[in-house]
Amino acid sequence: MEHTNETPSSLIMIFGATGDLAKRKLFPSLYHLYRKGKLTDHFAVVGVARRPLSHEEFKERVKDSVLTSIGESTDIDDFISHFYYQANDVSDSDSYQELRKLAADLDEKYSIGGNRIFYLAMAPEFFGTIAEHLKSDGLTDTEGFKRLVIEKPFGHDLPSAQELNDRIRTAFSESEIYRIDHYLGKEMVQNIEVIRFSNALFEPLWNNRYISNIQVTSSETLGVEERGGYYEKSGALRDMVQNHMLQMVALLAMEPPIRLTTEEIRSEKVKALRALRPIEGEEIKDYFVRGQYGSGQVDGKELPGYREEHNVDEQSNTETYVAGKLMIDNFRWAGVPFYIRTGKRMTAKSTKIVVQFKDIPMNLYYRKDEPLAPNLLVIHIQPEEGITLHLNAKKSGQNTEAKTVKLNFSNKSVDGMNTPEAYEKLLFDCIRGDATNFTHWDEVALSWSFVDKISEIWESTKETEFPNYESGTMGPREADEMLAKDGFFWWPVANLEVDNC
Ligand SMILES: NC(=O)C1=CN([C@@H]2O[C@H](COP(=O)(O)OP(=O)(O)OC[C@H]3O[C@@H](n4cnc5c(N)ncnc54)[C@H](OP(=O)(O)O)[C@@H]3O)[C@@H](O)[C@H]2O)C=CC1
Ligand SMILES: O=C1O[C@H](COP(=O)(O)O)[C@@H](O)[C@H](O)[C@H]1O
């Protein structure tokens, strides 16, 4: 179905409604949509989880989560009046029959017209079972639309992702599946396409003739916190690279779509991912660096190393940091490295893209023997949102020196407010039927096949140097050496800030 700007009525069923994601992200996001009039009164939410709760108890949980997120509200009671709860055992048909009955009653009560969104905010091992029951127990037999929103991780590798996909495809068609990658809901990630394709200034230069390298950094200050059990099996490669990092690279590298439709945009991203040079076997050490954080001091506080974290093996071989050099073997990008790095317990919480342009052929002006700083386009994704363009200009009052000037655009200073949370935008897109900012199966499959070749080698070879970076630093020194070999260095995430806007 083509999406519209209107909000259709919908029944949203959240599986995993007593969990962390629902509490911290989904309920507050739904509330924001409600406040902004982006949910019509023809909506209802059914929370589904294992524990028994009454409708009233569930409404109170939703209220708490919203008030914790936003502070005070005058319409919270109206909002929570749309919420209901059903305890469910994921593999028991009888519970789905009860759900079906509740859905039918709410459909009638709120004149929803049979539109149903099933949001799976649960551990991934349940995804296939729930999707199959939704079909076999008749919840997908409805007169309106049916959509499945599915959280990450989508599989653990290509074979498991394929198996999961086959299972959910028995109940939902590809166009009905909304695979969440919350980075695609971030304002400045969505802005990549606009910056590229609506500026005569950039698009002609967006290729290997003018760009020397592109750097994508997503650094976190937190460690694994309570998620040691999950993270031990995942590591940074599966947790961040397979999805968020490769999605950003695809948006940076793709060709302009012929139309701004979901299909055309996705098809260009798929082509970019297909052009990714596979890195395997012995080559991996030249193109990828893995790291694991040790203990360290951050803000005067002593923090434990990864191996001391809860639910983590004390000899763990899991990487908490990845840096990589990606090559996109097509006409536009031949020879241009895309460097990516992501990790936990680093110096700053920051996601940034730095596009470094090639040096001009010779420095005609000012200090002729000294190289000029390269032009940079910096896209600030978080925590600031904006763009900075680094140019060279004459230093005032002197006639022999050029200096870098930074042209800044900050979203906050222009819109005067923080942009909506990614989940709010993605939920709204799903309600409207716009799947553009969700990942198509082809993208998922290509990303796994790229990452699997690296994880297979990393899992079968013990990294004897772990831990190899201290908490509170920007990762292992080998990641700097990887760029130095190519004559580059990582642009620091700190002094590229959107300042003085
Ligand atoms: N939390 C986050 O920030 C993020 C989470 N995700 C993904 O979202 C999903 C959910 O994560 P999160 O909310 O953190 O998980 P939680 O562990 O906090 O919540 C799990 C939910 O699943 C329910 N559940 C567990 N087992 C069963 C069962 N057998 N039958 C029915 N319900 C069951 C729990 O119900 P009960 O409490 O009643 O047992 C609970 O509501 C995961 O796929 C995760 O990877 C993705 C990005 C970020
Ligand atoms: O998907 C995930 O993302 C978060 C980082 O998200 P951000 O929006 O805060 O940048 C990461 O902490 C988590 O490990 C991963 O599962």
Side-chain angles (χ1 to χ4, degrees):
M1 169 182 159
E2 269 305 304
H3 64 90
T4 67
N5 279 325
E6 289 158 27
T7 312
S9 50
S10 46
L11 175 68
I12 304 170
M13 251 182 220
I14 301 178
F15 288 79
T18 53
D20 176 71
L21 183 74
K23 182 172 79 178
R24 286 191 309 108
K25 302 286 186 189
L26 304 185
F27 301 146
S29 296
L30 283 169
Y31 175 73
H32 286 300
L33 291 175
Y34 180 72
R35 279 299 314 255
K36 291 175 186 169
K38 290 180 168 180
L39 284 180
T40 67
D41 274 339
H42 302 283
F43 86 96
V45 178
V46 180
V48 185
R50 188 168 36 181
R51 72 189 71 180
L53 287 179
S54 67
H55 295 314
E56 289 314 312
E57 285 169 323
F58 180 59
K59 285 178 208 272
E60 281 308 307
R61 293 175 73 98
V62 176
K63 185 172 177 173
D64 279 356
S65 96
V66 173
L67 295 181
T68 306
S69 160
I70 61 149
E72 286 180 18
S73 151
T74 49
D75 53 5
I76 187 72
D77 290 325
D78 294 337
F79 174 68
I80 60 166
S81 70
H82 292 260
F83 282 70
Y84 298 82
Y85 184 79
Q86 175 77 55
N88 160 274
D89 172 344
V90 284
S91 49
D92 172 27
S93 270
D94 290 347
S95 349
Y96 290 91
Q97 291 301 335
E98 283 172 37
L99 260 181
R100 186 164 95 136
K101 188 166 173 322
L102 177 61
D105 292 348
L106 295 175
D107 202 32
E108 197 179 323
K109 177 169 178 181
Y110 291 95
S111 310
I112 287 173
N115 294 332
R116 291 186 186 168
I117 293 175
F118 304 98
Y119 195 122
L120 307 192
M122 291 188 51
E125 61 260 35
F126 298 121
F127 294 166
T129 309
I130 297 174
E132 286 165 358
H133 272 285
L134 290 174
K135 182 176 166 71
S136 61
D137 289 306
L139 279 124
T140 54
D141 291 340
T142 177
E143 283 172 4
F145 62 67
K146 61 179 196 317
R147 297 181 186 141
L148 182 75
V149 184
I150 196 154
E151 266 299 336
K152 64 168 287 204
F154 197 91
H156 180 74
D157 51 17
L158 182 56
S160 59
Q162 179 76 65
E163 192 193 321
L164 170 59
N165 203 50
D166 293 346
R167 288 183 77 187
I168 60 177
R169 284 296 304 274
T170 58
F172 295 88
S173 66
E174 177 61 33
S175 65
E176 292 170 329
I177 300 171
Y178 289 67
R179 297 180 194 82
I180 293 251
D181 181 316
H182 77 279
Y183 269 56
L184 295 181
K186 291 187 192 280
E187 185 65 24
M188 290 307 294
V189 173
Q190 296 188 351
N191 217 334
I192 294 172
E193 277 177 72
V194 184
I195 294 165
R196 284 191 55 193
F197 303 134
S198 63
N199 288 300
L201 192 63
F202 294 129
E203 192 43 34
L205 307 183
W206 209 262
N207 54 54
N208 54 7
R209 290 177 62 200
Y210 297 102
I211 289 178
S212 73
N213 74 93
I214 296 185
Q215 303 180 8
V216 185
T217 299
S218 191
S219 59
E220 297 187 72
T221 48
L222 291 178
V224 284
E225 311 302 299
E226 302 310 313
R227 296 168 73 218
Y230 152 77
Y231 203 83
E232 273 287 89
K233 293 192 220 107
S234 157
L237 192 63
R238 292 188 173 97
D239 189 46
M240 292 292 290
V241 175
Q242 181 271 335
N243 37 63
H244 314 317
M245 302 302 281
L246 288 183
Q247 281 293 319
M248 286 190 279
V249 169
L251 288 168
L252 289 162
M254 72 190 223
E255 293 299 314
I258 54 171
R259 263 176 243 103
L260 283 182
T261 60
T262 306
E263 292 71 26
E264 297 299 345
I265 294 171
R266 283 169 155 187
S267 142
E268 293 305 336
K269 282 166 70 192
V270 166
K271 280 193 231 159
L273 292 169
R274 277 174 49 206
L276 258 185
R277 184 185 302 171
I279 306 295
E280 40 200 317
E282 278 300 302
E283 291 171 329
I284 291 171
K285 63 178 175 356
D286 299 327
Y287 285 83
F288 276 86
V289 171
R290 53 177 158 164
Q292 186 189 79
Y293 64 82
S295 57
Q297 268 210 355
V298 177
D299 294 334
K301 203 174 147 202
E302 195 61 46
L303 294 170
Y306 177 68
R307 290 175 176 188
E308 283 96 61
E309 301 277 19
H310 185 54
N311 282 336
V312 170
D313 182 343
E314 54 190 32
Q315 294 300 319
S316 176
N317 196 38
T318 301
E319 78 289 347
T320 60
Y321 173 99
V322 175
K325 168 174 155 178
L326 311 182
M327 301 305 293
I328 297 184
D329 289 332
N330 63 17
F331 220 77
R332 185 187 283 263
W333 293 114
V336 179
F338 284 65
Y339 299 110
I340 56 168
R341 64 177 163 166
T342 181
K344 296 207 179 278
R345 277 284 176 70
M346 294 172 67
T347 319
K349 170 76 183 166
S350 178
T351 305
K352 280 195 197 339
I353 294 166
V354 180
V355 180
Q356 179 175 340
F357 291 89
K358 286 190 171 164
D359 294 336
I360 51 171
M362 65 186 280
N363 180 4
L364 281 178
Y365 296 99
Y366 308 104
R367 298 186 172 182
K368 292 187 181 132
D369 301 331
E370 285 182 18
L372 281 174
N375 293 141
L376 303 180
L377 171 68
V378 184
I379 304 176
H380 308 268
I381 290 171
Q382 61 184 13
E384 317 82 24
E385 294 180 349
I387 311 165
T388 308
L389 188 57
H390 291 215
L391 303 173
N392 291 305
K394 178 179 169 297
K395 196 166 180 179
S396 320
Q398 310 214 5
N399 58 8
T400 59
E401 214 176 319
K403 69 162 190 170
T404 301
V405 293
K406 299 177 186 174
L407 306 188
N408 277 324
F409 155 74
S410 157
N411 250 3
K412 200 170 175 182
S413 64
V414 171
D415 297 340
M417 54 176 275
N418 282 324
T419 52
E421 159 74 68
Y423 274 95
E424 180 185 328
K425 291 208 268 173
L426 294 174
L427 273 166
F428 188 52
D429 282 353
C430 175
I431 293 168
R432 293 186 306 137
D434 182 353
T436 314
N437 291 313
F438 295 80
T439 40
H440 188 276
W441 164 247
D442 294 346
E443 299 169 64
V444 175
L446 286 162
S447 306
W448 275 126
S449 75
F450 178 78
V451 156
D452 281 355
K453 298 185 181 66
I454 301 157
S455 52
E456 274 159 25
I457 298 290
W458 281 0
E459 275 166 10
S460 59
T461 50
K462 182 104 180 141
E463 175 53 75
T464 52
E465 300 298 314
F466 277 176
N468 60 352
Y469 70 100
E470 251 179 63
S471 283
T473 65
M474 282 310 280
R477 124 190 93 66
E478 287 80 358
D480 299 337
E481 289 165 6
M482 182 171 73
L483 269 70
K485 272 191 229 148
D486 296 343
F488 301 124
F489 57 86
W490 292 106
W491 289 95
V493 289
N495 65 1
L496 302 166
E497 260 21 22
V498 188
D499 44 18
N500 306 322
C501 287

